[in-house]
Amino acid sequence: MTAIEYTALGVSVLIFMLGLAGSLLPVVPGALIVWLGVIMHRLWMGAEDSVTWKIVILGGVLTLLGQLADFVMGVWGARRFGATWKGAVGAFVGAFVGFFIPPPLFWLIVGPILGAVIGELAAGRSFRDGGKAGIGTVVGGILAFALKFGISVCVICLFFLDLFFV
């Protein structure tokens, strides 16, 4: 490998590490950062010394699925734990509003819970039902974090497999 290849690979690995760390936080789109590392390497090194466009596109599709799952999993968790449609909408609105309230990391966790509880109370259900919906939102959020991290690892593995073994 040449010095430029080592440099490109080093920068990509640094971006991958930032993306993996970011995939554990609800504020940072970690899988997207990982995918941008793949794109950067491809554009920098070209067709002969980088991954194929097939890997770039596959990584993009996986990243998109991860981002969609991040938005949907909290609502799914609330519904799975018995939330009404108002509780599910409350969880979604709470997550959206929580993104804009400082500190966003705190409110992206608490916002969906409060939203689910408020939605359930607005539907005429008890505080206990609202609490169950809030717990479901947390479970869905944890699953979304795990999924985003898994997708990030998968994209990184695809990158290295294609780069060194194909």
Side-chain angles (χ1 to χ4, degrees):
M1 285 179 63
T2 66
I4 195 74
E5 289 171 328
Y6 279 118
T7 303
L9 188 59
V11 170
S12 293
V13 168
L14 180 63
I15 293 170
F16 293 162
M17 290 187 324
L18 289 171
L20 282 175
S23 68
L24 298 174
L25 302 172
V27 179
V28 182
L32 179 62
I33 294 170
V34 168
W35 183 57
L36 291 175
V38 173
I39 292 172
M40 183 276 316
H41 191 274
R42 170 62 192 207
L43 294 176
W44 188 354
M45 296 308 299
E48 294 82 32
D49 297 320
S50 187
V51 296
T52 62
W53 281 112
K54 182 172 84 173
I55 294 299
V56 174
I57 292 168
L58 181 59
V61 169
L62 289 171
T63 299
L64 179 62
L65 290 174
Q67 291 304 114
L68 289 173
D70 195 23
F71 288 116
V72 173
M73 293 299 278
V75 174
W76 172 84
R79 294 288 292 171
R80 185 83 174 129
F81 276 67
T84 63
W85 70 270
K86 288 183 180 181
V89 169
F92 183 78
V93 170
F96 181 76
V97 171
F99 183 77
F100 298 104
I101 300 174
L105 180 58
F106 174 76
W107 285 107
L108 275 170
I109 295 168
V110 174
I113 297 168
L114 287 176
V117 170
I118 291 169
E120 290 302 306
L121 292 175
R125 297 186 75 196
S126 70
F127 188 77
R128 180 182 167 104
D129 291 332
K132 284 174 48 179
I135 290 170
T137 302
V138 171
V139 169
I142 290 169
L143 291 174
F145 295 149
L147 182 65
K148 284 189 330 183
F149 187 80
I151 285 174
S152 297
V153 169
C154 183
V155 170
I156 292 169
C157 288
L158 287 171
F159 172 83
F160 283 114
L161 285 172
D162 192 60
L163 186 64
F164 292 117
F165 298 110
V166 176

